[in-house]
Amino acid sequence: MSWVFFFMDTARKLWRTCGLQGGIGVLDIAGLKWLFFDVGDTLVDEWEPVDDIIGQFVREANAYGYPVKIEAVRELFAMCYRKFEQWPMKVAIRTYIHDEDHRNQIQDKLKFCKELEKPFPHAAEVLKQLSQHYRIGIIANQSPGTEVRLESYGLRKYVDVLACSAEEGLSKPDPELYVVALKQAGCEPGEAVMIGDRIDNDIIPARSLGMRTIRILQGYGRFQPDLSDKERADWTVESLDELLPLLIPDGATS
């Protein structure tokens, strides 16, 4: 069994043992009109490109004479998420590379390969079914070209509003990016739910505006610990397909 699959299987067992699925109560969908999704590790699987850039870093570090192991960097990334660090790769470079020139040279060589991203297996079908009951929006920190990428994944046709950092000049966790999305949608915060993998970027800013929230335990964001009740998602799921029974009335799925 590979490291990735061993980790995912162990993590699922831990989540079930800890009972994280319940959030802070039953999700009330009364009056809900809009569903806003994050992109990375919510609709789109970023595990491969993240592991790829970790591998790039290890190779470059080794080339400069630093005996860095990929398993150690993966664990450092998990620790960074547990501590709500926004930029784990910067932490890795500071931790393992002692020479400032080497740090800058390695940083310049690293590339996050967006072409390695792929939609989660149920993404298209889940959005298709949800779009029959709600309007769909995107609120995401993404490099330019999100609309084109969503089109290539077969997801764009289900999306009514796009509010992405590169195009809007705002980045999560700034609540202003959420305000932009709500304004584009003509939607009140109480009529919307935010669905994302990160407590710091997705759950906290959405809740601060009065939106309901669903945390999805995918990617490294799954390592972020629950905080106070005021900063905890209203509901937690393990995968996109678990959204359907949560958000669609009984008997209404197609």
Side-chain angles (χ1 to χ4, degrees), residues 6 169 181:
F6 172 79

Side-chain angles (χ1 to χ4, degrees), residues 22-43:
I24 60 174
V26 175
L27 184 66
D28 180 9
I29 63 173
L32 194 60
K33 298 179 181 179
W34 280 83
L35 308 180
F36 288 95
F37 286 83
D38 177 43
V39 173
D41 283 328
T42 298
L43 292 173

